[in-house]
Amino acid sequence: MPTPPPHRRLGRALAFGLVLTTAAVATNTPVSAGPPRPTGPTFGPNVTIFDPSMPVSQIQATLDAAHAAQVDNEMGTTRHAYLFRPGHYGTADQPLQIKVGYYTEISGLGASPTDVVINGKVEAYNRCLTEGGTANCIALVNFWRTLSNLSLRINATGQDDCRATANFWAVSQAVSMRRLDISGGGLSLMDYCTNGPQYASGGFIADSRLPATTNGSQQQWLTRNSEVESWSNAVWNQVFAGVVGAPDDAGFPDPPYTTLDTTPLSREKPYLFVDARGKYQVRVPAVRRDTRGITWGTRMTPGRTIPISDFFVARPSDPVHVINRELARGRHLLLTPGVYDVARSIEVRRPDTIVLGIGHATLTAVDGAVPLNVAGVPGVVVAGVTIDAGLKESPVLLRVGRKHGRNHSTPRNPITLSDVYFRVGGPHIGRTDTALEVNSDHVLIDHTWVWRGDHGVEGFTEGVNGDTDRWRTNTGRYGVVVNGDHVTATGLFVEHFQRYNTVWNGEHGTTILYQNELPYDPPTQADWHNGKVNGWAGYKVGDRVRHHTLHGGGVYVFNQNNPSIRTENGFEVPVRPGIRLRHIMTVNLSAGTIDHVVNGVGEAADMDRVGAPVYLEQYP
């Protein structure tokens, strides 16, 4: 295997001449065979359920067709979940080799990851965007896909020499790997089998047992509560929390590892499974504190089990008032794959309510609505949901708790957001003041990508004029605003908002891995100006905050619309004993300047050091 060199990030998408498509694919109907069949609701036409008695060739053909339809469908509306009933799939001579495209979920239906075994591969490759699909090969826009709750026994039979060297998972933001047991070969988070430049910008792994893992060109990555045989390298910001086998970070920034022995607060994402009687259930993992390693090594993941009959299984055609009526009656909500137009808020008001999306279910704001409103009550979990801004500006896309008034979430049972993603622009024009607003105390954000689109199919012209149109039209002022106390974020990815990307006003906040790109498209310095200060920091801790902790944070600049634009600081925080930033950096992606890392400290990330990060080990 060639040694993957550390690569620097150049601007994504438009900087690489990305050509987008809105091609769609006809959905498959559910497939199931072999006794005992699961009993429960029909999940609709966008869910395919496989059974181990089905011929491998039939499963392979279904998944090959899905990948062919979705591999370039970045801004399309097709969503699909492919679920595997407990059992073994693929053989030594006929492995099941899966490639995963946009808006696709591949998940096992076992109570444990070891209940579903795939003998083969589950992979995502670079997309080659120019010269007839042979050049400009990158994973920088490999977004929105899910792999979870299964065992993968790597079998490369039939693949060429390079492809046979690893299971490739070359992805970027809004992609999660959870509850996996991978063995039989190496895992590579970089696709080194195509032409260059092979850049990648992920990513997230949790509750998984991993083989020798090649980070390669991944600029940043969070691995949480897992086991890893070995880890190859780091590029800019590789973070490990509660990982058995994680590399030591004593040499920071060479290599730029950040390693926490334990994760201070975690709760694994709920998952759908089939029990021994063939009945569908949802497992809701328990809250854990100061832990390391996987949850399922010797027994079922601790937590509670909810029968599917306690859920309202929604489809995109269901009106919001029906969804709200079922929630008010005390039912949980399972959102099947598809795009839901939301003209009034989905209201989650009861404690311990579970909202679980599968297959990248997407809520789109209509007429300025707030698509999802979560009361500040204990134990609510929202997982696997994407929320899009609509044509008319929304005040916020997801609100957690009241901004003014009492909230009742508790430290023993925090509100949890897992794999919740946001988009402002991209597939269509989008407008919001704020994407995610957290007002309640005691909230856990476990992996989110909050994205104001730097590219898309909204109809803007290419080049500077098009970027100016995007700045004026796809408006999003703030990405994440945290007003509550004791909020923890593990894997906080926020990009391209027009003022502060993240504002943290609450006390005792903790972030473990922060990744931010400042907006690409401010037309002038006057458009990117905060009072007397040039620009807006990518991460802002409120002036009155006395206690805050950040482990592993990066702010990147690529002002492609106007390279003369400057940003004073990547991070802005109060200077107090209770404020601690550990392992932070800024980097220039080839346009613009960040003058300092934090509060006037640190060298400039300017055009003289493109791709070379400016690091601070600790501040203050």
Side-chain angles (χ1 to χ4, degrees), residues 28-33 37-38 41-44 46-52 54 58-59 62 80-86 89 107 109 272 274 280 358:
N28 296 301
T29 55
V31 177
S32 185
R37 286 175 177 266
T42 300
F43 293 113
N46 301 326
V47 176
T48 299
I49 300 172
F50 297 119
D51 185 279
M54 294 176 62
Q58 181 181 349
I59 300 173
T62 299
H80 211 104
Y82 296 91
L83 310 179
F84 291 77
R85 291 188 59 202
Y89 297 83
S107 292
L109 287 172
L272 186 66
V274 176
Y280 285 104
I358 60 174

Side-chain angles (χ1 to χ4, degrees), residues 21-22 41 62 146 170 173 191 202 241 259 294 314 323 333 346 449 454 468 492 522 556 565 583 585:
T21 178
T22 57
T62 299
T146 297
Q173 289 91 345
D191 180 358
T259 301
I294 57 177
I323 293 173
L333 177 62
I346 296 174
W449 186 37
D454 60 277
T468 299
L492 184 59
Y556 314 159
I565 286 176
H583 294 185
M585 49 81 69

Side-chain angles (χ1 to χ4, degrees), residues 7 67 71-72 99-100 102 123-129 133-142 145 162-163 168-172 188-201 217-218:
H7 287 288
H67 178 258
V71 63
D72 294 316
K99 294 189 287 293
V100 183
Y102 286 103
E123 298 188 295
Y125 297 156
N126 291 334
R127 291 172 66 201
C128 298
L129 304 175
T134 63
N136 192 20
C137 301
I138 57 173
L140 288 178
V141 291
N142 281 1
R145 56 204 82 191
C162 187
R163 287 285 177 224
F168 293 94
W169 191 249
V171 296
S172 287
S188 180
L189 305 177
M190 167 192 184
D191 180 358
Y192 49 76
C193 292
T194 68
N195 290 326
Q198 303 173 349
Y199 302 130
S201 184
S217 61
Q218 285 288 351

Side-chain angles (χ1 to χ4, degrees), residues 265 287 289 378 408-415 441-443 486:
L265 177 66
V287 175
R289 292 185 180 274
H408 301 279
S409 188
T410 67
R412 292 186 177 183
N413 196 14
I415 296 168
D441 301 338
H442 305 293
V443 175
H486 301 283

Side-chain angles (χ1 to χ4, degrees), residues 412-490:
R412 292 186 177 183
N413 196 14
I415 296 168
T416 304
L417 311 179
S418 298
D419 295 348
V420 177
Y421 310 133
F422 301 81
R423 298 189 299 192
V424 181
H428 46 73
I429 289 171
R431 298 181 174 101
T432 191
D433 182 79
T434 301
L436 171 61
E437 180 182 280
V438 178
N439 300 310
S440 178
D441 301 338
H442 305 293
V443 175
L444 170 62
I445 304 168
D446 185 44
H447 187 222
T448 187
W449 186 37
V450 186
W451 185 63
R452 177 180 165 268
D454 60 277
H455 65 277
V457 292
E458 307 97 325
F460 303 130
T461 58
E462 297 298 323
V464 171
N465 289 337
D467 281 344
T468 299
D469 290 343
R470 188 179 301 281
W471 179 262
R472 307 291 186 211
T473 306
N474 280 342
T475 53
R477 296 174 186 83
Y478 304 100
V480 176
V481 176
V482 177
N483 298 315
D485 297 339
H486 301 283
V487 175
T488 298
T490 49

Side-chain angles (χ1 to χ4, degrees), residues 207-267:
D207 202 19
S208 294
R209 181 180 289 149
L210 307 175
T213 300
T214 298
N215 180 84
S217 61
Q218 285 288 351
Q219 295 156 5
Q220 67 283 315
W221 197 278
L222 174 62
T223 306
R224 179 184 62 68
N225 288 90
S226 294
E227 300 174 3
V228 60
E229 181 180 324
S230 63
W231 192 273
S232 67
N233 69 292
V235 177
W236 292 339
N237 186 24
Q238 272 63 26
V239 179
F240 305 84
V243 176
V244 177
D248 186 82
D249 68 358
F252 182 88
D254 184 19
Y257 293 134
T258 300
T259 301
L260 287 72
D261 187 57
T262 61
T263 302
L265 177 66
S266 62
R267 172 186 260 159

Side-chain angles (χ1 to χ4, degrees), residues 540-548 571-581 598-601 619-620:
K540 168 71 174 179
V541 178
D543 295 340
R544 297 182 179 181
V545 174
R546 306 190 69 83
H547 298 90
H548 186 87
F571 301 80
E572 290 181 1
V573 302
V575 181
R576 293 193 176 102
I579 306 292
R580 185 188 180 206
L581 310 185
V598 55
N599 291 10
V601 176
Y619 183 87

